[in-house]
Amino acid sequence: MSITKPSLPKGTRDFSPVEMVKRNYIYDTIKTVFRKYGYAEIQTPSMENLQTLTGKYGDEGDKLIFKVLNSGEFLNEPKKKSFDFVQDDNSNKLVSLISEKALRYDLTVPFARYVVMHQSEITFPFKRFQVQPVWRADRPQKGRYREFYQCDADVVGSPSLLNEAEFILIYHEALTNLGLKDFDIKINNRKILSGIAEIIGKPELIVDMTVAIDKLDKIGFEGVTKELLERGFSNADIEKLEPVIMLKGSNLEKLESLKNVLATSAIGLKGIEEIETVFAYVSHLTSHISNLQLDITLARGLNYYTGCIFEVKTNEVAMGSIGGGGRYDDLTGMFGLKDLTGAGISFGADRIYDVLEELNLFPKSAAQGTKVLISNFDEAAELYALPILQQLRKQGIAAELYPSSAKLKKQMSYADGKNIPYVILIGGDEMESGLLTFKNMESGEQEKLTITEIIARIS
Amino acid sequence: MSITKPSLPKGTRDFSPVEMVKRNYIYDTIKTVFRKYGYAEIQTPSMENLQTLTGKYGDEGDKLIFKVLNSGEFLNEPKKKSFDFVQDDNSNKLVSLISEKALRYDLTVPFARYVVMHQSEITFPFKRFQVQPVWRADRPQKGRYREFYQCDADVVGSPSLLNEAEFILIYHEALTNLGLKDFDIKINNRKILSGIAEIIGKPELIVDMTVAIDKLDKIGFEGVTKELLERGFSNADIEKLEPVIMLKGSNLEKLESLKNVLATSAIGLKGIEEIETVFAYVSHLTSHISNLQLDITLARGLNYYTGCIFEVKTNEVAMGSIGGGGRYDDLTGMFGLKDLTGAGISFGADRIYDVLEELNLFPKSAAQGTKVLISNFDEAAELYALPILQQLRKQGIAAELYPSSAKLKKQMSYADGKNIPYVILIGGDEMESGLLTFKNMESGEQEKLTITEIIARIS
């Protein structure tokens, strides 16, 4: 066995105990809210058949799918011989001969596959959440990884806009529980965007229009104008678009203006009505919600969504969106199950992690580590400590006995390194009196206490 | 986009909401015990560099590693051209050209890599646990999957046998908490096996010896004799072996007999001493432990382990081992970090799942699903229900409002399908009086209660 200096594949990460506690805190907070709103967890395999994934993410997406090599002596199988390795110098063709499986690219397509495969066992409307890693052969960069977790909640089989309203509440509750104070939940509706393109008389350019106006934040109205002209809109079109894009005021004011602008577009008015219904549900469910904003420039993956769309941004840290989603009317159609409406949202757990880190919002109490270390002076003290150790654990207290009679300094730095808040010191005096020295590692204070008193102190 | 009838790759599984609740129950129970004993969670990436994994699992293991194809137009890269696809018809060589990454095969080698890569940040002794899936291109069969979870706890950097004693307590506590009542924790020591081979005068045949006697349970002493003769032992050797293999009595009696047999083997006596120390620790830690058995025929992966070895079996269901582990003295040596001793155990979560299922041991209270469904009669009732819905959730109660005014029968079968234990029915009478109809779905009983009373009833 040759010795190799170990390294990690590009764009992948190890998570240390401290990082895992924080990651679990985020996942658990989000999962708890999902469950409270009636969503149930499922998991799907990391590998899917290649044909399940291919063609679902566009050409660019297909290239980013990690393919898994067939196992065994795959070149010796007769059918592989049909590939002329000299003439036919094409990666894609070779892939089709030597790979039948791939790592999932997102949680949405596997969910669609799940719904179709298990449709007879599922109780509809089916509200599921899923928190699992996905893999993309993207070029790694700051905040972009080749393996990362998605946290998705989707409902299929219910057209009710109550679902959309509850997504807003889920975002509000989960992010508030995570300690975020200032974030925007942006909402728009694909039908409103269709209506706008219709009114301008360029329904065929809806994708170009939305791609351009989606950039308003970044490039301003002048930049958007330039891009719209390049994408086939006229100055007259842009004149009509301007008041819609630059819409100001409260959500109600925006809706009133839009009603005038879209008065002759049935689909546009339908979009407005859907937003109004969602707002009505929200106001009946709760008296307070974070900054919920109707944002006409919000586009997201339009080919995919057909109704309301969402995006969540924090205002406390410069960071892209930390969540998004929307309604899609035909997700399972790709697997032959037609007319099943769905809606879903996603939390960007990795970005939320960075936000909480920057704002120092991870609670101390999120620590799941060892609560007490018992020092180990010598063999007699070790034996004396063993039943005490077990007594602590019986009370549900995570406890350790230092596993050798090393120098006290070393034992203390072990407690420090693991962020253990309390140390119990047991020497000759303690064994004689039964009063143990209980040290608070943060304050440095020491007290003589019985084990019962210590347990009461910690619990 | 062509429509494909979806399927799953061989040997992989979807987990439904009901299955996930049960799986989480197992993981959470085990994790809670790991934490109580001072183990902290880490995670490593699903993909490792191929060279990290290759050569660590033997030739057979190497074949079962799932390789991940390099991304992009890999055939066009110049260095790939050095492979003559016509002449050089060898899968392994092609793999080395088109694949640099693989899915992890277990959690142990990635853990060794982790320790070596992060040695400067780690506080030793390092006690970590890890619960993640692993992948093996094994032929799928009942109970054997290509993707499955491992639940491992390992400590590195501590030679103390207290760690081994605590592993026994961890097994006892976790399996007891899962409801198992009759299971054996078997212990042996590699040094005892070495001592036995030494006494017979065939130390070079230790692997053959242990492979043979490991089968005593299945093929009896006659079968073992036959196999030992085939593997190069003489009848005289077997005569010496018989009393050792067939050792009966309590652990203490076995140890006394072994001391006589191994009186002239230093390594054998060392193994006995280690077992005695572990037993002493256990008896100081707890007054009761499940059937802890010294089993001289227990072998496990001998090339790997160097001290105590463990295996756990349930006696309530016919099933292979549901856990195992041991001490290895040089795990990180493969990555250049020498002389770091380690010890670890693993829980077979998939098998434990099958055992709990067969014994009907999954607690009802493990249900994490929706607690209350509010029926939806019409628009007025829906509006009336919204603040009540949110009031339930504020109390931490997972609640849903049926998202349309479908027929009551359909709403009730939704509650049944999701195993929702309570339904709140709201119609005209209820809205007028404020007394809601509260239905217990199991007993079928109905009562008229205020929402405050309902919350008190459920919590």
Side-chain angles (χ1 to χ4, degrees):
Chain A
M1 201 186 306
S2 71
I3 289 170
T4 47
K5 194 171 150 40
S7 63
L8 275 180
K10 254 196 315 190
T12 69
R13 295 165 289 172
D14 283 327
F15 297 120
S16 70
V18 170
E19 288 166 328
M20 277 312 298
V21 169
K22 293 176 178 174
R23 295 182 71 85
N24 284 334
Y25 167 69
I26 293 173
Y27 300 143
D28 291 345
T29 304
I30 295 171
K31 286 178 178 181
T32 300
V33 177
F34 283 161
R35 290 200 182 98
K36 247 167 80 173
Y37 284 77
Y39 287 81
E41 186 168 18
I42 70 160
Q43 285 189 348
T44 62
S46 305
M47 290 190 280
E48 292 278 352
N49 287 322
L50 198 44
Q51 63 178 12
T52 299
L53 305 184
T54 310
K56 310 302 189 297
Y57 307 106
D59 289 347
E60 280 311 302
D62 278 3
K63 283 188 195 146
L64 302 184
I65 295 172
F66 275 113
K67 284 99 187 168
V68 177
L69 220 59
N70 295 342
S71 37
E73 283 290 310
F74 49 83
L75 277 185
N76 293 345
E77 291 168 44
K79 63 168 181 162
K80 317 298 183 200
K81 298 293 190 188
S82 66
F83 183 72
D84 179 336
F85 288 108
V86 172
Q87 295 294 315
D88 218 349
D89 189 9
N90 172 302
S91 309
N92 277 337
K93 181 153 185 207
L94 180 59
V95 168
S96 73
L97 294 174
I98 61 178
S99 166
E100 285 160 7
K101 294 180 291 292
L103 296 177
R104 71 175 157 249
Y105 178 88
D106 69 2
L107 301 178
T108 310
V109 169
F111 174 55
R113 179 205 45 76
Y114 180 98
V115 170
V116 175
M117 274 182 69
H118 301 277
Q119 53 185 291
S120 62
E121 313 141 31
I122 289 174
T123 306
F124 290 100
F126 183 46
K127 299 169 90 172
R128 87 86 173 79
F129 77 84
Q130 197 169 348
V131 179
Q132 289 193 279
V134 301
W135 296 268
R136 295 184 186 177
D138 243 324
R139 190 171 296 276
Q141 58 182 55
K142 188 178 170 341
R144 191 201 282 162
Y145 304 100
R146 291 187 149 191
E147 174 177 52
F148 59 97
Y149 272 73
Q150 291 195 332
C151 306
D152 286 15
D154 292 80
V155 51
V156 287
S158 167
S160 168
L161 291 158
L162 174 60
N163 298 300
E164 274 86 340
E166 293 193 334
F167 286 145
I168 293 167
L169 270 75
I170 288 172
Y171 271 133
H172 175 79
E173 189 165 334
L175 295 176
T176 302
N177 289 354
L178 287 169
L180 293 184
K181 286 188 176 62
D182 183 9
F183 52 89
D184 295 337
I185 303 173
K186 293 180 178 181
I187 184 169
N188 196 8
N189 194 298
R190 199 251 199 248
K191 297 185 178 86
I192 292 180
L193 291 168
S194 297
I196 295 171
E198 198 177 283
I199 292 294
I200 298 172
K202 300 257 166 89
E204 74 284 3
L205 288 184
I206 177 169
V207 172
D208 290 275
M209 181 187 87
T210 51
V211 167
I213 67 177
D214 197 31
K215 298 179 186 161
L216 185 66
D217 265 6
K218 287 175 202 136
I219 59 177
F221 185 68
E222 245 174 273
V224 172
T225 300
K226 192 162 160 268
E227 184 154 343
L228 285 168
L229 288 170
E230 283 165 12
R231 286 175 176 272
F233 287 88
S234 69
N235 277 312
D237 296 338
I238 296 169
E239 230 164 88
K240 279 188 235 165
L241 255 179
E242 181 172 1
V244 184
I245 303 177
M246 303 302 281
L247 220 53
K248 291 271 174 293
S250 70
N251 291 333
L252 281 182
E253 286 163 353
K254 285 181 188 171
L255 284 168
E256 286 313 310
S257 307
L258 277 175
K259 273 183 204 168
N260 289 324
V261 176
L262 298 176
T264 60
S265 165
I267 191 162
L269 291 175
K270 178 76 182 141
I272 293 171
E273 189 196 316
E274 288 184 9
I275 295 275
E276 285 181 328
T277 306
V278 171
F279 284 173
Y281 273 125
V282 169
S283 68
H284 277 91
L285 283 163
T286 182
S287 56
H288 171 72
I289 205 80
S290 296
N291 212 352
L292 174 60
Q293 285 179 14
L294 174 61
D295 181 352
I296 300 300
T297 67
L298 178 65
R300 297 189 66 85
L302 264 186
N303 302 328
Y304 193 74
Y305 294 118
T306 50
C308 287
I309 45 183
F310 303 102
E311 195 164 278
V312 183
K313 281 193 172 178
T314 168
N315 299 314
E316 296 175 90
V317 178
M319 178 74 69
S321 80
I322 54 174
R327 181 169 290 271
Y328 38 84
D329 273 342
D330 189 30
L331 183 73
T332 54
M334 61 175 109
F335 298 118
L337 183 62
K338 293 282 176 203
D339 299 324
L340 196 58
T341 182
I345 52 168
S346 188
F347 283 84
D350 283 293
R351 284 188 174 171
I352 292 171
Y353 186 101
D354 291 343
V355 171
L356 299 194
E357 196 70 283
E358 193 166 331
L359 297 174
N360 203 14
L361 285 177
F362 284 110
K364 275 210 164 176
S365 63
Q368 303 168 313
T370 300
K371 267 270 178 68
V372 199
L373 176 73
I374 307 182
S375 70
N376 189 333
F377 279 101
D378 53 27
E379 217 173 299
E382 184 183 84
L383 282 186
Y384 185 89
L386 291 170
I388 293 171
L389 176 63
Q390 220 46 26
Q391 216 177 325
L392 288 160
R393 289 172 177 158
K394 274 230 173 78
Q395 299 303 316
I397 297 165
E400 291 179 61
L401 169 63
Y402 194 85
S404 71
S405 51
K407 286 200 178 117
L408 188 59
K409 202 183 154 196
K410 193 173 174 191
Q411 300 190 34
M412 286 307 190
S413 72
Y414 176 79
D416 274 335
K418 278 189 88 164
N419 280 317
I420 301 175
Y422 305 105
V423 173
I424 296 174
L425 297 150
I426 301 178
D429 287 356
E430 284 83 358
M431 286 191 273
E432 210 167 296
S433 67
L435 287 173
L436 314 178
T437 301
F438 180 64
K439 179 167 182 165
N440 181 319
M441 291 296 281
E442 203 183 350
S443 67
E445 269 174 85
Q446 292 192 183
E447 288 173 277
K448 295 264 187 184
L449 298 172
T450 65
I451 182 62
T452 316
E453 290 167 331
I454 288 174
I455 287 169
R457 202 62 70 90
I458 295 173
S459 303
Chain B
M1 200 187 301
S2 70
I3 289 171
T4 47
K5 194 171 150 38
S7 63
L8 276 179
K10 253 195 318 190
T12 69
R13 296 165 289 172
D14 283 327
F15 298 119
S16 71
V18 171
E19 288 165 329
M20 276 312 299
V21 168
K22 292 176 178 174
R23 295 182 71 84
N24 284 335
Y25 167 70
I26 293 174
Y27 300 143
D28 291 345
T29 304
I30 295 171
K31 285 178 178 182
T32 300
V33 177
F34 283 161
R35 289 200 183 98
K36 246 166 79 172
Y37 284 78
Y39 287 81
E41 185 169 17
I42 71 161
Q43 285 190 348
T44 62
S46 306
M47 290 191 281
E48 293 278 351
N49 288 321
L50 198 44
Q51 63 178 14
T52 299
L53 304 184
T54 309
K56 310 301 190 298
Y57 306 106
D59 289 346
E60 280 312 302
D62 277 3
K63 283 188 197 146
L64 302 183
I65 295 172
F66 276 113
K67 283 97 186 169
V68 177
L69 221 58
N70 295 342
S71 36
E73 282 291 307
F74 50 83
L75 277 185
N76 293 343
E77 291 168 44
K79 63 166 183 165
K80 316 299 183 202
K81 297 293 189 189
S82 66
F83 184 71
D84 178 337
F85 287 108
V86 171
Q87 295 296 315
D88 218 348
D89 189 10
N90 173 301
S91 309
N92 277 338
K93 180 152 184 208
L94 180 59
V95 168
S96 72
L97 295 174
I98 61 178
S99 165
E100 286 160 5
K101 293 180 291 292
L103 296 177
R104 69 173 160 253
Y105 178 88
D106 69 2
L107 301 178
T108 310
V109 170
F111 174 55
R113 179 204 46 74
Y114 180 98
V115 170
V116 175
M117 273 183 71
H118 301 276
Q119 53 185 292
S120 62
E121 313 141 32
I122 289 174
T123 306
F124 289 99
F126 183 45
K127 299 169 91 171
R128 88 85 174 79
F129 77 84
Q130 197 169 349
V131 178
Q132 288 193 280
V134 301
W135 296 268
R136 295 184 185 178
D138 244 326
R139 190 170 297 277
Q141 58 182 54
K142 189 177 169 341
R144 192 202 281 161
Y145 304 100
R146 291 187 149 191
E147 174 177 51
F148 59 98
Y149 272 73
Q150 291 194 333
C151 306
D152 286 14
D154 292 80
V155 51
V156 287
S158 168
S160 169
L161 292 159
L162 174 60
N163 297 299
E164 275 86 339
E166 292 193 334
F167 286 146
I168 293 168
L169 269 74
I170 289 172
Y171 272 133
H172 175 80
E173 189 165 334
L175 296 175
T176 302
N177 289 353
L178 287 169
L180 294 184
K181 288 191 175 60
D182 183 9
F183 51 91
D184 295 337
I185 303 173
K186 293 180 178 180
I187 185 170
N188 195 8
N189 193 299
R190 199 252 198 252
K191 296 185 178 87
I192 293 180
L193 291 169
S194 296
I196 295 171
E198 198 176 282
I199 293 294
I200 298 172
K202 300 259 167 88
E204 75 284 3
L205 288 184
I206 177 168
V207 173
D208 290 276
M209 180 188 87
T210 52
V211 167
I213 66 176
D214 197 31
K215 297 180 187 161
L216 185 66
D217 264 6
K218 287 174 202 138
I219 59 177
F221 186 68
E222 246 174 90
V224 172
T225 300
K226 192 162 161 270
E227 185 155 342
L228 285 168
L229 288 171
E230 283 165 12
R231 287 175 175 271
F233 287 86
S234 68
N235 277 313
D237 297 336
I238 295 170
E239 230 165 88
K240 280 188 235 164
L241 257 179
E242 182 173 0
V244 184
I245 303 177
M246 305 302 281
L247 219 53
K248 290 271 174 291
S250 69
N251 292 333
L252 282 181
E253 287 163 355
K254 286 181 187 170
L255 284 169
E256 286 313 309
S257 307
L258 276 175
K259 273 184 205 169
N260 289 325
V261 175
L262 297 176
T264 59
S265 165
I267 191 162
L269 291 175
K270 178 76 181 142
I272 293 171
E273 190 195 318
E274 288 184 8
I275 295 276
E276 285 181 326
T277 307
V278 171
F279 284 173
Y281 273 125
V282 169
S283 68
H284 276 90
L285 283 163
T286 182
S287 58
H288 171 73
I289 204 79
S290 296
N291 213 352
L292 174 61
Q293 284 178 15
L294 174 62
D295 180 353
I296 299 302
T297 67
L298 178 64
R300 296 188 67 84
L302 264 187
N303 301 329
Y304 193 74
Y305 294 117
T306 50
C308 287
I309 45 184
F310 302 102
E311 195 164 276
V312 182
K313 281 193 174 179
T314 168
N315 299 315
E316 297 174 89
V317 178
M319 179 74 69
S321 81
I322 54 174
R327 181 169 290 271
Y328 36 85
D329 273 342
D330 189 29
L331 182 72
T332 53
M334 61 175 107
F335 298 118
L337 183 62
K338 293 280 176 204
D339 300 325
L340 197 58
T341 182
I345 52 168
S346 188
F347 284 83
D350 283 293
R351 284 188 174 172
I352 291 171
Y353 186 101
D354 291 343
V355 170
L356 299 195
E357 196 69 284
E358 193 166 331
L359 297 175
N360 203 14
L361 285 178
F362 284 111
K364 275 208 166 177
S365 62
Q368 304 167 314
T370 301
K371 268 270 176 70
V372 198
L373 177 73
I374 307 181
S375 70
N376 190 334
F377 279 102
D378 53 27
E379 217 172 300
E382 184 182 84
L383 282 186
Y384 185 90
L386 291 170
I388 293 171
L389 176 63
Q390 221 44 27
Q391 215 177 324
L392 288 161
R393 289 172 177 159
K394 274 230 174 75
Q395 299 303 317
I397 297 165
E400 289 179 64
L401 169 63
Y402 194 84
S404 71
S405 52
K407 286 202 175 118
L408 188 59
K409 203 181 155 197
K410 195 173 173 192
Q411 300 190 35
M412 287 306 192
S413 72
Y414 177 80
D416 274 335
K418 278 189 88 164
N419 280 316
I420 301 174
Y422 305 106
V423 172
I424 296 174
L425 298 150
I426 301 177
D429 288 356
E430 284 83 358
M431 286 191 274
E432 212 168 295
S433 66
L435 287 171
L436 314 177
T437 301
F438 181 64
K439 178 167 183 167
N440 181 319
M441 291 295 283
E442 203 183 350
S443 68
E445 270 174 82
Q446 292 192 183
E447 288 174 276
K448 294 264 188 186
L449 298 171
T450 65
I451 183 62
T452 316
E453 289 168 334
I454 288 175
I455 288 169
R457 202 62 71 89
I458 295 172
S459 303

